[in-house]
Amino acid sequence: MKRSSVDCIHRCYQLHRRAALNAREPQQWHVAHQARSIIGIASRISKVATTTTHRHTHRSILHRIHPQHLYRIINDVDRYQTFLPYCNESRVLQTSPCGTMYDAVLRVGLPGLSDDASSLLEERYVSRVRKKSPAVANVKDEDDIAPTWTVEAKSIESQLFDSLKSRWQLTFVENEIERRDAGSSGSRNLSNGCMATEDIASCSVNFEVEIQVSNPLISFTLDRVLKDVARKQVEAFEKRCNEVASME
């Protein structure tokens, strides 16, 4: 074969090879771009999925409710499902021999994703609860500190929550209520013509909630509803106290 023919064939091969490479470049660019996009999305998801802590503290005064009475209602876990909003199951699993600690399971719905009740996110979790009551219920100590009842709970099994903690502090408040109605039960006039006063206990409530989550959807929902849920919880316990008191 003549050299000119060999050179021609070689040039044709080079042209075909360059054309094939040029035709392949857009596809290679698309694959590389897609890979970079996936890596970028994964990176953003990783950043979003970091653990977020949500905290809220609800404070209020429950008038004419003794803190010891509320303390008993809070520890009556088996009846939560009959009066507590969003609670569908409540049960004490086991109690420590000393009676100051117990494990309880709760199944609750998380509201706020939409107006459709069927959209509630539901979680069943187990908490370890520690309770502490003062030695004397109605008397301040030597440092003039009012008696306080405490109930602390921390999740030990949960799917949606990385951690869920709550803390109730119930403090005795002594109120002087003036009896203005002379015909009311228990009222009486003093010798100086003034109306008698009566000490009626009330309860100062400090309810703290702390929830840690990694799920962005749960975190978004908690931002919207946690404050309202805490308020409704305290209101439900207050109502329960009044109902139980009226039945006793």
Side-chain angles (χ1 to χ4, degrees):
M1 185 178 292
K2 295 182 178 180
R3 182 175 180 81
S4 59
S5 298
V6 172
D7 291 341
C8 181
I9 293 173
H10 180 70
R11 284 196 298 272
C12 287
Y13 171 77
Q14 292 294 335
L15 289 173
H16 282 291
R17 185 171 181 272
R18 188 176 296 116
L21 290 173
N22 290 338
R24 198 179 305 166
E25 283 178 358
Q27 182 179 3
Q28 290 174 338
W29 177 88
H30 176 72
V31 172
H33 176 72
Q34 189 176 39
R36 286 194 297 269
S37 299
I38 293 173
I39 293 172
I41 292 172
S43 176
R44 288 193 293 272
I45 290 176
S46 176
K47 291 179 181 178
V48 172
T50 56
T51 300
T52 304
T53 301
H54 301 264
R55 295 185 183 92
H56 179 68
T57 300
H58 178 91
R59 297 181 177 89
S60 60
I61 300 292
L62 306 188
H63 295 286
R64 297 175 178 267
I65 294 177
H66 197 288
Q68 188 171 30
H69 183 46
L70 176 55
Y71 177 78
R72 290 170 180 165
I73 297 294
I74 293 172
N75 287 294
D76 190 13
V77 176
D78 290 344
R79 291 186 172 85
Y80 278 11
Q81 57 193 313
T82 66
F83 70 90
L84 206 56
Y86 316 120
C87 182
N88 302 314
E89 179 186 356
S90 57
R91 182 164 48 93
V92 173
L93 300 176
Q94 59 181 351
T95 304
S96 65
C98 62
T100 62
M101 186 187 307
Y102 57 87
D103 292 347
V105 60
L106 295 179
R107 182 163 55 90
V108 298
L110 189 62
L113 293 178
S114 74
D115 295 330
D116 183 5
S118 64
S119 71
L120 294 182
L121 289 173
E122 193 173 75
E123 169 69 336
R124 188 177 188 270
Y125 64 96
V126 177
S127 291
R128 181 149 294 162
V129 184
R130 291 177 173 85
K131 58 180 184 176
K132 182 180 180 181
S133 58
V136 181
N138 299 319
V139 181
K140 293 182 179 180
D141 63 17
E142 57 185 13
D143 296 323
D144 201 36
I145 298 177
T148 298
W149 290 253
T150 304
V151 182
E152 295 179 330
K154 181 179 180 180
S155 61
I156 57 175
E157 292 180 20
S158 178
Q159 295 293 323
L160 294 182
F161 307 130
D162 296 336
S163 172
L164 191 157
K165 301 177 184 177
S166 66
R167 187 169 188 255
W168 291 87
Q169 282 187 299
L170 318 174
T171 304
F172 178 85
V173 178
E174 193 174 59
N175 299 327
E176 284 194 345
I177 307 298
E178 184 177 353
R179 294 290 190 174
R180 299 184 181 276
D181 183 3
S184 64
S185 175
S187 65
R188 58 189 176 86
N189 288 315
L190 300 179
S191 57
N192 60 5
C194 296
M195 300 300 294
T197 61
E198 179 179 289
D199 292 338
I200 298 179
S202 291
C203 180
S204 173
V205 173
N206 193 83
F207 178 47
E208 304 170 8
V209 183
E210 179 186 292
I211 304 177
Q212 293 183 338
V213 293
S214 299
N215 186 310
L217 179 61
I218 305 298
S219 183
F220 171 76
T221 304
L222 288 173
D223 277 337
R224 297 178 56 187
V225 306
L226 184 57
K227 180 178 179 180
D228 188 55
V229 168
R231 176 183 57 81
K232 289 182 178 180
Q233 296 275 301
V234 175
E235 290 176 349
F237 278 106
E238 180 181 16
K239 182 180 178 182
R240 177 67 175 173
C241 284
N242 290 325
E243 291 174 348
V244 171
S246 65
M247 292 187 295
E248 290 178 344

CSV table of all heavy atoms in Angstrom, one decimal, residues 64 177-182 184-189 195-198 200:
chain,number,residue,atom,x,y,z
A,64,ARG,N,-57.1,28.7,93.7
A,64,ARG,CA,-58.0,27.8,94.5
A,64,ARG,C,-57.7,26.3,94.2
A,64,ARG,O,-58.5,25.5,94.3
A,64,ARG,CB,-59.4,28.1,94.3
A,64,ARG,CG,-59.8,29.5,94.8
A,64,ARG,CD,-61.3,29.8,94.5
A,64,ARG,NE,-61.7,31.1,95.0
A,64,ARG,CZ,-62.2,31.3,96.2
A,64,ARG,NH1,-62.5,30.2,97.0
A,64,ARG,NH2,-62.6,32.5,96.6
A,177,ILE,N,-58.2,35.9,100.9
A,177,ILE,CA,-59.4,36.2,100.2
A,177,ILE,C,-60.4,36.8,101.2
A,177,ILE,O,-60.7,36.2,102.2
A,177,ILE,CB,-60.0,34.9,99.6
A,177,ILE,CG1,-59.0,34.2,98.8
A,177,ILE,CG2,-61.2,35.3,98.8
A,177,ILE,CD1,-58.5,35.0,97.6
A,178,GLU,N,-60.8,38.0,100.9
A,178,GLU,CA,-61.7,38.7,101.8
A,178,GLU,C,-63.1,38.2,101.5
A,178,GLU,O,-63.6,38.2,100.4
A,178,GLU,CB,-61.6,40.2,101.5
A,178,GLU,CG,-62.5,41.0,102.5
A,178,GLU,CD,-62.4,42.5,102.3
A,178,GLU,OE1,-61.5,42.9,101.6
A,178,GLU,OE2,-63.2,43.2,103.0
A,179,ARG,N,-63.8,37.9,102.6
A,179,ARG,CA,-65.2,37.4,102.5
A,179,ARG,C,-66.1,38.7,102.5
A,179,ARG,O,-66.4,39.2,103.5
A,179,ARG,CB,-65.6,36.5,103.6
A,179,ARG,CG,-64.8,35.2,103.6
A,179,ARG,CD,-65.3,34.3,102.5
A,179,ARG,NE,-64.8,33.0,102.7
A,179,ARG,CZ,-65.1,31.9,101.9
A,179,ARG,NH1,-66.0,32.1,100.9
A,179,ARG,NH2,-64.6,30.8,102.1
A,180,ARG,N,-66.6,39.1,101.3
A,180,ARG,CA,-67.4,40.3,101.3
A,180,ARG,C,-68.9,40.0,101.4
A,180,ARG,O,-69.7,40.8,101.8
A,180,ARG,CB,-67.2,41.0,99.9
A,180,ARG,CG,-65.7,41.5,99.8
A,180,ARG,CD,-65.6,42.3,98.5
A,180,ARG,NE,-64.2,42.7,98.3
A,180,ARG,CZ,-63.6,43.8,98.9
A,180,ARG,NH1,-64.4,44.5,99.7
A,180,ARG,NH2,-62.4,44.1,98.7
A,181,ASP,N,-69.2,38.8,101.1
A,181,ASP,CA,-70.6,38.4,101.2
A,181,ASP,C,-70.9,37.8,102.6
A,181,ASP,O,-70.5,36.7,102.9
A,181,ASP,CB,-71.0,37.3,100.1
A,181,ASP,CG,-72.4,37.0,100.1
A,181,ASP,OD1,-73.2,37.5,100.9
A,181,ASP,OD2,-72.8,36.1,99.3
A,182,ALA,N,-71.6,38.5,103.4
A,182,ALA,CA,-71.9,38.1,104.8
A,182,ALA,C,-72.7,36.8,104.8
A,182,ALA,O,-72.6,36.0,105.8
A,182,ALA,CB,-72.6,39.2,105.6
A,184,SER,N,-72.3,34.3,102.8
A,184,SER,CA,-71.6,33.1,102.2
A,184,SER,C,-71.2,32.2,103.2
A,184,SER,O,-71.0,32.5,104.4
A,184,SER,CB,-70.4,33.6,101.4
A,184,SER,OG,-69.5,34.2,102.2
A,185,SER,N,-71.0,30.9,102.8
A,185,SER,CA,-70.6,29.9,103.8
A,185,SER,C,-69.2,30.2,104.3
A,185,SER,O,-68.3,30.4,103.6
A,185,SER,CB,-70.6,28.5,103.0
A,185,SER,OG,-70.1,27.5,103.9
A,186,GLY,N,-69.1,30.1,105.7
A,186,GLY,CA,-67.8,30.3,106.3
A,186,GLY,C,-67.5,31.8,106.6
A,186,GLY,O,-66.4,32.0,107.2
A,187,SER,N,-68.3,32.7,106.1
A,187,SER,CA,-68.0,34.1,106.4
A,187,SER,C,-68.4,34.5,107.8
A,187,SER,O,-69.4,34.0,108.3
A,187,SER,CB,-68.6,35.0,105.3
A,187,SER,OG,-70.0,34.9,105.4
A,188,ARG,N,-67.7,35.5,108.4
A,188,ARG,CA,-68.1,36.0,109.7
A,188,ARG,C,-67.6,37.4,109.9
A,188,ARG,O,-66.6,37.8,109.3
A,188,ARG,CB,-67.6,35.0,110.8
A,188,ARG,CG,-66.0,34.9,110.8
A,188,ARG,CD,-65.6,33.8,111.7
A,188,ARG,NE,-64.2,33.6,111.6
A,188,ARG,CZ,-63.3,34.3,112.3
A,188,ARG,NH1,-63.6,35.2,113.1
A,188,ARG,NH2,-62.0,34.0,112.2
A,189,ASN,N,-68.3,38.2,110.7
A,189,ASN,CA,-67.9,39.5,111.1
A,189,ASN,C,-67.0,39.5,112.3
A,189,ASN,O,-67.3,38.8,113.3
A,189,ASN,CB,-69.1,40.4,111.3
A,189,ASN,CG,-69.8,40.7,110.0
A,189,ASN,OD1,-69.2,41.1,109.1
A,189,ASN,ND2,-71.1,40.6,110.1
A,195,MET,N,-64.6,42.4,107.9
A,195,MET,CA,-64.9,41.1,107.5
A,195,MET,C,-63.7,40.2,107.7
A,195,MET,O,-62.6,40.6,107.7
A,195,MET,CB,-65.2,41.1,106.0
A,195,MET,CG,-66.5,41.9,105.6
A,195,MET,SD,-68.0,41.4,106.4
A,195,MET,CE,-68.2,39.8,105.6
A,196,ALA,N,-64.0,38.9,108.0
A,196,ALA,CA,-62.9,38.0,108.2
A,196,ALA,C,-62.2,37.6,106.9
A,196,ALA,O,-62.8,37.8,105.9
A,196,ALA,CB,-63.4,36.7,108.9
A,197,THR,N,-61.0,37.2,107.0
A,197,THR,CA,-60.2,36.8,105.8
A,197,THR,C,-59.9,35.3,106.0
A,197,THR,O,-59.8,34.8,107.1
A,197,THR,CB,-58.9,37.6,105.6
A,197,THR,OG1,-58.1,37.4,106.7
A,197,THR,CG2,-59.2,39.0,105.4
A,198,GLU,N,-59.7,34.6,104.8
A,198,GLU,CA,-59.5,33.2,104.9
A,198,GLU,C,-58.3,32.9,103.9
A,198,GLU,O,-58.2,33.4,102.8
A,198,GLU,CB,-60.7,32.4,104.4
A,198,GLU,CG,-60.5,30.9,104.4
A,198,GLU,CD,-61.8,30.2,104.0
A,198,GLU,OE1,-62.7,30.2,104.7
A,198,GLU,OE2,-61.8,29.7,102.8
A,200,ILE,N,-56.6,30.8,101.4
A,200,ILE,CA,-56.9,29.8,100.4
A,200,ILE,C,-55.7,29.5,99.5
A,200,ILE,O,-55.1,30.4,98.9
A,200,ILE,CB,-58.1,30.2,99.5
A,200,ILE,CG1,-59.3,30.4,100.4
A,200,ILE,CG2,-58.4,29.2,98.5
A,200,ILE,CD1,-60.5,30.9,99.7
